[in-house]
Amino acid sequence: MKVRNSLRSLKERHRDCRVVRRKGRVYVINKTQRRYKARQG
């Protein structure tokens, strides 16, 4: 999992990437290509 300041570029890496808010943190998750994960905050 990558930790980044901005998730906008990571969201566009794959068409199935989703931005999700959990516990005050912002995550990018991907159900089909699970290696595309990132966290902000």
Side-chain angles (χ1 to χ4, degrees), residues 7-20 22 27-38:
L7 296 180
R8 175 174 281 177
S9 61
L10 299 176
K11 186 179 75 171
E12 270 123 38
R13 288 201 296 176
H14 193 271
R15 60 185 173 84
D16 291 336
C17 286
R18 298 273 180 261
V19 177
V20 180
R22 291 180 189 157
Y27 293 90
V28 171
I29 60 170
N30 192 324
K31 292 274 172 65
T32 57
Q33 296 287 325
R34 294 190 178 275
R35 68 176 184 267
Y36 294 125
K37 287 190 299 213

Side-chain angles (χ1 to χ4, degrees), residues 7 20-27 39-41:
L7 296 180
V20 180
R21 300 200 61 170
R22 291 180 189 157
K23 298 179 184 173
R25 290 180 172 169
V26 186
Y27 293 90
R39 173 171 73 80
Q40 176 181 342

